[in-house]
Amino acid sequence: MLKKLKAPLAILAELSHRCPLSCAYCSNPVELVEKNKELDTDDWLRVIDEAADLGIHQIHFSGGEPTARKDLEQMVEHAHKRKLYTNLITSAVLLSRERLEKLKKLGLEHVQVSFQDSEKENANRIGNFKGGHEKKLEVAKWVRELGMPLTINAVMHRQNLHHLEDMIKMSVDLDADRLEVANVQYYGWALKNRAAFMPTKDQLESSMEIVEKARKDLKGILVIDYVLPDYYAKRPKSCMGGWGRQFLNISPEGKVLPCHAAETIKSFNFDNVKDKSLAWIWENSEPFNKFRGTDWMPSPCKTCDRREIDWGGCRCQALALTGDIGAVDPTCEFSPLHEKIFGSATEESSSEAPEFIYRLLSNKEVEPVKK
Amino acid sequence: MMKERLLLKSETVPVIPNHVRFEFNEVRKEWVLLAPERALYPDKIAIEVLKKCDGKISIQLIGEDLAKKYKAPVEKIIEDIINMLQDLADKGFLKEC
Ligand code: SF4
């Protein structure tokens, strides 16, 4: 039991960094965890127990590609037994129908499938995986046939935002419950390709209109989540519901992070589930305590009436773009660097889009799991 | 066939679908509605209403029950219940039986 804090709501279990796709906007760290350093099954089962004992509600199995782990079944089964709500976040290309059915029987409650585009050629080009899009469509149909709710996750950017309407239509056709329109987050690998992905202002304006209209027309049919990209916003979003407030993220090798991108912060030593319990880490880990709450905040935030709404924005972004992890998130208008960074980003988007740099992994040993 | 929006009326018999869990978390000591990538904490009245969304009774009957208990006008209670549940239905967290 925790003494002073409320337990997190959800845990993001990054089972593996291995992934059959190599999206140029991948937000995983530039240095990936290799297969032989991944936590083993027993470690994960213990982590699931510790999460349930803390009162955590949900577990999201993610990656890389979580289905690259052959023991995913055991984890889903165990999490379900411990009454955690289970969600699979997948690129879907490795899944067979039999395996999906088995996962469902073992207690899988929701599936989120990522799409790179609504149009086959462009989608497969962006993910750099031949036949990927077709496979995703198939898996999405299976999810619904098996009676599980489906979320479509679409990462949108300059090279596919013009297909937003088709993406919405595709989601309705697939009988998805929810469409999550995510914008590329510019850390990890994606920062290398920022100029290729930054949407133009016109694109964004029309995308907002499309979303507004679809939300009205599709009320009660499809829920659409859409957040304005940081670079065009005036205030930051609340990153992860606030640092160390609601979520924790476990990397493939067992490091416990306040968010998925936190490993970009090199000055921190993150505690590992192999050495310490989740409860201990949540309460005592230095990186978690460092930016938790409002005490750490710089001056415009400290007295700002949004401080407990956005919790000062994103630390990883502050570091990546200003070099200072304790700085005001430059997305915010009150950041002294807002103008400068906002200006350079939009400039990139008004020049011609460069080719992207694919993410090619050395540890790419994923085959479909045979039963 | 495209699915249609579920519009709640007093005769609707609401039920929480399989993929949504309404439960009491023993560690946190609180009721929670768990849905894909969402956790909602209903307030006291909402908890009472959700407990009755078992696919057996209509919104009308739920309203009559609560009206008796809280000595409040039935119409007003039913209107409040419909508003609250419609929002959940629109998110896909509630179905009709
Ligand atoms: S000043 Fe700080 S708290 Fe206020 S809106 Fe900007 S980032 Fe958020």
mmCIF file of all heavy atoms in Angstrom, chain B residues 9 11 15-16 19 21 28 34 37 39 47 52 54 60-61 67-69 77 96:
data_model
loop_
_atom_site.group_PDB
_atom_site.id
_atom_site.type_symbol
_atom_site.label_atom_id
_atom_site.label_comp_id
_atom_site.label_asym_id
_atom_site.label_seq_id
_atom_site.Cartn_x
_atom_site.Cartn_y
_atom_site.Cartn_z
ATOM 1 N N LYS B 9 -34.394 6.560 -24.411
ATOM 2 C CA LYS B 9 -35.732 7.047 -24.027
ATOM 3 C C LYS B 9 -36.076 6.393 -22.691
ATOM 4 O O LYS B 9 -35.361 5.499 -22.236
ATOM 5 C CB LYS B 9 -36.764 6.628 -25.075
ATOM 6 C CG LYS B 9 -36.460 7.136 -26.457
ATOM 7 C CD LYS B 9 -37.633 6.795 -27.391
ATOM 8 C CE LYS B 9 -37.202 6.683 -28.829
ATOM 9 N NZ LYS B 9 -36.425 5.481 -29.144
ATOM 10 N N GLU B 11 -38.190 4.227 -22.021
ATOM 11 C CA GLU B 11 -38.464 2.778 -22.075
ATOM 12 C C GLU B 11 -37.216 1.955 -22.419
ATOM 13 O O GLU B 11 -37.258 0.730 -22.389
ATOM 14 C CB GLU B 11 -39.623 2.457 -23.033
ATOM 15 C CG GLU B 11 -39.416 2.818 -24.484
ATOM 16 C CD GLU B 11 -39.937 4.229 -24.824
ATOM 17 O OE1 GLU B 11 -40.037 5.077 -23.902
ATOM 18 O OE2 GLU B 11 -40.202 4.494 -26.009
ATOM 19 N N VAL B 15 -27.823 -1.394 -20.609
ATOM 20 C CA VAL B 15 -26.927 -2.412 -20.071
ATOM 21 C C VAL B 15 -25.477 -2.016 -20.379
ATOM 22 O O VAL B 15 -25.196 -1.404 -21.408
ATOM 23 C CB VAL B 15 -27.266 -3.816 -20.641
ATOM 24 C CG1 VAL B 15 -26.984 -3.894 -22.138
ATOM 25 C CG2 VAL B 15 -26.516 -4.921 -19.904
ATOM 26 N N ILE B 16 -24.604 -2.353 -19.468
ATOM 27 C CA ILE B 16 -23.183 -2.088 -19.689
ATOM 28 C C ILE B 16 -22.633 -3.225 -20.557
ATOM 29 O O ILE B 16 -22.776 -4.387 -20.213
ATOM 30 C CB ILE B 16 -22.441 -2.005 -18.340
ATOM 31 C CG1 ILE B 16 -22.974 -0.798 -17.557
ATOM 32 C CG2 ILE B 16 -20.930 -1.876 -18.551
ATOM 33 C CD1 ILE B 16 -22.533 -0.727 -16.127
ATOM 34 N N HIS B 19 -17.433 -5.326 -22.972
ATOM 35 C CA HIS B 19 -16.072 -4.790 -22.969
ATOM 36 C C HIS B 19 -15.891 -3.609 -22.016
ATOM 37 O O HIS B 19 -14.827 -3.003 -21.968
ATOM 38 C CB HIS B 19 -15.643 -4.411 -24.387
ATOM 39 C CG HIS B 19 -16.378 -3.230 -24.929
ATOM 40 N ND1 HIS B 19 -17.557 -3.334 -25.627
ATOM 41 C CD2 HIS B 19 -16.111 -1.909 -24.867
ATOM 42 C CE1 HIS B 19 -17.966 -2.136 -25.978
ATOM 43 N NE2 HIS B 19 -17.111 -1.250 -25.524
ATOM 44 N N ARG B 21 -16.253 -2.460 -17.998
ATOM 45 C CA ARG B 21 -16.421 -3.018 -16.653
ATOM 46 C C ARG B 21 -16.755 -1.939 -15.656
ATOM 47 O O ARG B 21 -16.095 -0.921 -15.595
ATOM 48 C CB ARG B 21 -15.136 -3.747 -16.231
ATOM 49 C CG ARG B 21 -15.097 -5.121 -16.846
ATOM 50 C CD ARG B 21 -13.801 -5.857 -16.732
ATOM 51 N NE ARG B 21 -12.878 -5.472 -15.698
ATOM 52 C CZ ARG B 21 -11.597 -5.826 -15.725
ATOM 53 N NH1 ARG B 21 -11.125 -6.561 -16.709
ATOM 54 N NH2 ARG B 21 -10.791 -5.460 -14.757
ATOM 55 N N ARG B 28 -8.174 0.553 -4.181
ATOM 56 C CA ARG B 28 -8.398 1.997 -4.156
ATOM 57 C C ARG B 28 -9.646 2.360 -3.376
ATOM 58 O O ARG B 28 -9.886 3.537 -3.085
ATOM 59 C CB ARG B 28 -8.533 2.534 -5.578
ATOM 60 C CG ARG B 28 -7.428 2.110 -6.511
ATOM 61 C CD ARG B 28 -7.672 2.613 -7.925
ATOM 62 N NE ARG B 28 -7.190 3.961 -8.089
ATOM 63 C CZ ARG B 28 -6.018 4.258 -8.656
ATOM 64 N NH1 ARG B 28 -5.259 3.317 -9.136
ATOM 65 N NH2 ARG B 28 -5.629 5.495 -8.760
ATOM 66 N N LEU B 34 -14.510 1.056 -16.276
ATOM 67 C CA LEU B 34 -13.333 0.827 -17.102
ATOM 68 C C LEU B 34 -13.742 0.525 -18.527
ATOM 69 O O LEU B 34 -14.497 -0.402 -18.796
ATOM 70 C CB LEU B 34 -12.535 -0.366 -16.568
ATOM 71 C CG LEU B 34 -11.855 -0.181 -15.226
ATOM 72 C CD1 LEU B 34 -11.149 -1.465 -14.825
ATOM 73 C CD2 LEU B 34 -10.860 0.972 -15.302
ATOM 74 N N GLU B 37 -9.045 2.261 -22.793
ATOM 75 C CA GLU B 37 -8.225 3.457 -22.627
ATOM 76 C C GLU B 37 -8.907 4.586 -21.861
ATOM 77 O O GLU B 37 -8.569 5.745 -22.008
ATOM 78 C CB GLU B 37 -7.704 3.923 -23.981
ATOM 79 C CG GLU B 37 -6.932 2.781 -24.618
ATOM 80 C CD GLU B 37 -6.326 3.085 -25.970
ATOM 81 O OE1 GLU B 37 -6.009 4.239 -26.221
ATOM 82 O OE2 GLU B 37 -6.148 2.134 -26.738
ATOM 83 N N ALA B 39 -10.733 5.435 -17.833
ATOM 84 C CA ALA B 39 -11.209 5.045 -16.510
ATOM 85 C C ALA B 39 -12.039 6.214 -16.001
ATOM 86 O O ALA B 39 -11.543 7.337 -15.916
ATOM 87 C CB ALA B 39 -10.037 4.766 -15.576
ATOM 88 N N ILE B 47 -23.239 6.146 -9.572
ATOM 89 C CA ILE B 47 -22.963 4.775 -9.135
ATOM 90 C C ILE B 47 -24.278 4.017 -8.939
ATOM 91 O O ILE B 47 -24.453 2.899 -9.404
ATOM 92 C CB ILE B 47 -22.132 4.774 -7.830
ATOM 93 C CG1 ILE B 47 -20.714 5.270 -8.111
ATOM 94 C CG2 ILE B 47 -22.090 3.372 -7.210
ATOM 95 C CD1 ILE B 47 -19.860 5.497 -6.868
ATOM 96 N N LYS B 52 -27.845 -0.230 -11.561
ATOM 97 C CA LYS B 52 -29.138 -0.713 -12.048
ATOM 98 C C LYS B 52 -29.152 -0.966 -13.558
ATOM 99 O O LYS B 52 -30.152 -1.437 -14.098
ATOM 100 C CB LYS B 52 -30.240 0.289 -11.669
ATOM 101 C CG LYS B 52 -30.475 0.385 -10.154
ATOM 102 C CD LYS B 52 -31.555 1.411 -9.860
ATOM 103 C CE LYS B 52 -31.608 1.798 -8.396
ATOM 104 N NZ LYS B 52 -32.116 0.739 -7.519
ATOM 105 N N ASP B 54 -28.492 -3.215 -15.568
ATOM 106 C CA ASP B 54 -28.138 -4.632 -15.631
ATOM 107 C C ASP B 54 -28.853 -5.346 -16.781
ATOM 108 O O ASP B 54 -28.864 -6.565 -16.859
ATOM 109 C CB ASP B 54 -28.480 -5.304 -14.296
ATOM 110 C CG ASP B 54 -29.944 -5.094 -13.914
ATOM 111 O OD1 ASP B 54 -30.696 -4.480 -14.718
ATOM 112 O OD2 ASP B 54 -30.342 -5.535 -12.830
ATOM 113 N N GLN B 60 -37.170 4.148 -17.113
ATOM 114 C CA GLN B 60 -38.380 4.543 -16.376
ATOM 115 C C GLN B 60 -38.372 3.948 -14.957
ATOM 116 O O GLN B 60 -38.538 4.654 -13.968
ATOM 117 C CB GLN B 60 -39.612 4.045 -17.156
ATOM 118 C CG GLN B 60 -40.947 4.316 -16.496
ATOM 119 C CD GLN B 60 -41.325 5.800 -16.534
ATOM 120 O OE1 GLN B 60 -41.026 6.497 -17.506
ATOM 121 N NE2 GLN B 60 -41.955 6.296 -15.465
ATOM 122 N N LEU B 61 -38.134 2.633 -14.885
ATOM 123 C CA LEU B 61 -38.160 1.973 -13.573
ATOM 124 C C LEU B 61 -36.996 2.409 -12.679
ATOM 125 O O LEU B 61 -37.169 2.598 -11.474
ATOM 126 C CB LEU B 61 -38.137 0.451 -13.741
ATOM 127 C CG LEU B 61 -39.437 -0.165 -14.295
ATOM 128 C CD1 LEU B 61 -39.285 -1.668 -14.463
ATOM 129 C CD2 LEU B 61 -40.613 0.157 -13.375
ATOM 130 N N ALA B 67 -36.538 8.017 -7.502
ATOM 131 C CA ALA B 67 -37.455 9.088 -7.095
ATOM 132 C C ALA B 67 -38.027 8.785 -5.708
ATOM 133 O O ALA B 67 -38.151 9.658 -4.866
ATOM 134 C CB ALA B 67 -38.573 9.237 -8.120
ATOM 135 N N LYS B 68 -38.357 7.513 -5.500
ATOM 136 C CA LYS B 68 -38.885 7.104 -4.197
ATOM 137 C C LYS B 68 -37.827 7.329 -3.115
ATOM 138 O O LYS B 68 -38.054 7.921 -2.086
ATOM 139 C CB LYS B 68 -39.252 5.615 -4.245
ATOM 140 C CG LYS B 68 -40.743 5.366 -3.960
ATOM 141 C CD LYS B 68 -41.069 3.883 -3.962
ATOM 142 C CE LYS B 68 -41.700 3.449 -5.287
ATOM 143 N NZ LYS B 68 -41.480 2.043 -5.602
ATOM 144 N N LYS B 69 -36.642 6.817 -3.432
ATOM 145 C CA LYS B 69 -35.563 6.870 -2.455
ATOM 146 C C LYS B 69 -35.207 8.307 -2.064
ATOM 147 O O LYS B 69 -34.979 8.602 -0.898
ATOM 148 C CB LYS B 69 -34.337 6.155 -3.031
ATOM 149 C CG LYS B 69 -33.212 6.038 -2.059
ATOM 150 C CD LYS B 69 -32.202 5.005 -2.492
ATOM 151 C CE LYS B 69 -30.999 5.089 -1.569
ATOM 152 N NZ LYS B 69 -29.887 4.274 -2.064
ATOM 153 N N ILE B 77 -35.856 13.289 -12.415
ATOM 154 C CA ILE B 77 -34.845 12.241 -12.229
ATOM 155 C C ILE B 77 -34.594 11.503 -13.544
ATOM 156 O O ILE B 77 -33.448 11.280 -13.931
ATOM 157 C CB ILE B 77 -35.313 11.236 -11.141
ATOM 158 C CG1 ILE B 77 -35.362 11.946 -9.796
ATOM 159 C CG2 ILE B 77 -34.408 10.008 -11.134
ATOM 160 C CD1 ILE B 77 -34.440 11.448 -8.731
ATOM 161 N N GLU B 96 -28.100 -0.916 -25.371
ATOM 162 C CA GLU B 96 -29.519 -1.152 -25.090
ATOM 163 C C GLU B 96 -29.717 -2.655 -25.076
ATOM 164 O O GLU B 96 -29.060 -3.371 -25.822
ATOM 165 C CB GLU B 96 -30.302 -0.484 -26.224
ATOM 166 C CG GLU B 96 -31.700 -0.954 -26.419
ATOM 167 C CD GLU B 96 -32.328 -0.174 -27.575
ATOM 168 O OE1 GLU B 96 -31.724 -0.127 -28.661
ATOM 169 O OE2 GLU B 96 -33.408 0.364 -27.367
#
